[in-house]
């Protein structure tokens, strides 16, 4: 048995490929570098969906359809928001998504793309005692998320968030995508499959890491000594959030894509950009200290920076509080989950592995 299913191939996919040795991510024939910062999120969602839905419209119409889905989802969840708001923000989003119809069509898929983008700002606003802002069907997806959060979105921040959503849209057979495919393999509907992905993403070993990255940066800043703080964590058996990956033995290419976006934000000529620039410089110092501490503590394993380290800085810079970072991750990754669910339904069989029984055996009756 391969504990954790290391190196087990459990699906053929045309969607994405993670080269953990070379440090490359390919999404439907495009490198991450080709897509991040160049393609809009709606275009990449369409790219992932291509071939998995019969009625896929062209790029412009597709973006409009996502906008209309945001409005539809907002209208559906609005009566429930007050009940969802007391939950933690991730559970509130998941509960809001659970009420969506459980079909397999494009309309179902678009509602699922729209839902995290609509629910997250609405629940954050309610949590702050503010009224939720309705979506604008004509706005771009990332810009509308920020507008629903803060009332307005600067084009630079909207572009940064869009680049983030593109960067995390799909990533091979990670834990949440596998969970999604297992449920899709039973021929359950898309909402059921996506709820499985949402559950798996929440944990700190997967999509729950970027919030703790901010807590770590703040604690290190307060302590004044990154190496001492990080070494003490390792000595206590803790993991350093934002570092290490099951597949990558080199630096996660998404970390560099996101760092470039944060650097761009920090180089603008505004007071807030200066703050961002110094936050980035501090994070880079912590990153170098963490890589060195991990190299010495775990010489048998190459533990490098993963996507979550710079995710934390980027999402903080565009205005999301740390408790909502995993929601925003879900808002990007939901595209990959839907495409994988459709691929599994179309080409896969029921996923049903075996377990090895290691418990007590019943007494034989004489
Ligand atoms: N900090 C300290 N030690 C680590 C870290 C880390 N970040 N990552 C791995 N290790 C160590 C483990 O303690 C273990 O050491 P040991 O052999 O002395 O017991 C060894 O490396 C192997 O650990 P595994 O859990 O088997 O390695 P795996 O490759 O499966 O780990 C994982 C991947 C779970 C992401 C891990 O690196 C980790 O916990 N990282 C911190 C959390 C994090 O950043 N999660 C986000 C991942 S990216 C994503 O999912 C989007």
């Amino acid at each position: 048995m391969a504990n954790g299913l290391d190196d087990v191939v459990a699906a053929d996919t045309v969607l994405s490929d993670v080269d953990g040795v070379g440090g490359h991510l390919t999404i439907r024939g495009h490198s991450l570098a080709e897509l991040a910062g160049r393609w809009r999120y709606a275009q990449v969602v369409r790219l992932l969906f291509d071939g998995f839905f019969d009625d896929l419209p062209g790029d412009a119409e597709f973006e409009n359809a996502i906008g209309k889905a945001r409005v539809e989802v907002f209208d559906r969840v609005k009566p429930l928001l007050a009940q969802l708001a007391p939950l933690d923000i991730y559970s509130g989003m998941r509960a809001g998504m659970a009420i969506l119809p459980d079909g397999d069509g494009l309309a179902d898929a678009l509602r699922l793309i729209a839902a995290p983008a609509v629910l997250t700002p609405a629940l954050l606003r309610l949590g702050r005692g503010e009224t939720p802002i309705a979506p604008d069907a004509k706005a771009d997806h990332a810009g509308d998320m920020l507008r629903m959060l803060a009332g307005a979105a600067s084009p630079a921040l909207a572009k940064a968030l869009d680049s983030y959503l593109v960067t995390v849209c799909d990533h091979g057979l990670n834990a949440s995508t596998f969970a999604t495919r297992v449920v899709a393999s039973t021929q359950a509907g898309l909402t059921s499959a996506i709820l499985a992905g949402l559950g798996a993403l929440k944990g700190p070993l997967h999509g729950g890491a970027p919030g703790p990255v901010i807590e770590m940066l703040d604690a290190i800043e307060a302590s004044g000594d990154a190496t001492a703080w990080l070494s003490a964590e390792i000595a206590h058996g803790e993991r350093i959030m934002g570092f290490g990956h099951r597949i990558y033995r080199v630096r996660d290419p998404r970390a560099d894509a996101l760092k470039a976006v944060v650097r761009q934000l920090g180089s603008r000529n505004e007071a807030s950009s200066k703050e961002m620039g110094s936050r980035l410089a501090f994070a880079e110092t912590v990153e170098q200290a963490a890589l060195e501490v991990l190299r010495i503590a775990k010489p048998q394993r190459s533990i490098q920076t993963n996507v979550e380290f710079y995710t934390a800085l980027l999402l903080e810079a565009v205005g999301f509080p740390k408790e909502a970072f995993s929601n925003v991750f879900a808002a990007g990754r939901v595209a990959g989950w839907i495409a994988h669910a459709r691929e599994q339904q179309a080409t896969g069989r029921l996923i049903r592995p075996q377990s090895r029984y290691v418990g007590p055996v019943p007494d034989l009756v004489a």
Side-chain angles (χ1 to χ4, degrees), residues 71-87:
V71 173
E72 186 197 333
V73 168
F74 185 76
D75 291 342
R76 275 179 189 263
V77 298
K78 208 171 156 191
L80 290 178
L81 287 173
Q83 274 171 281
L84 302 180
L87 300 172

Side-chain angles (χ1 to χ4, degrees), residues 144-182:
D144 207 26
M145 274 177 86
L146 294 182
R147 195 189 58 80
M148 287 187 273
L149 179 67
S154 90
L157 296 186
K159 185 164 192 301
L161 178 59
D162 193 73
S163 300
Y164 169 75
L165 297 175
V166 168
T167 300
V168 301
C169 70
D170 196 41
H171 200 244
L173 203 57
N174 56 84
S176 56
T177 301
F178 183 52
T180 300
R181 286 190 80 124
V182 169

Side-chain angles (χ1 to χ4, degrees), residues 204-206 239-240 242-246 294 298 301 303 306:
L205 299 192
H206 190 12
R239 289 180 179 221
I240 309 300
F243 295 86
H245 199 273
R246 175 62 63 81
L294 287 165
K298 308 279 173 185
R301 197 169 181 86
I303 301 177
N306 68 42

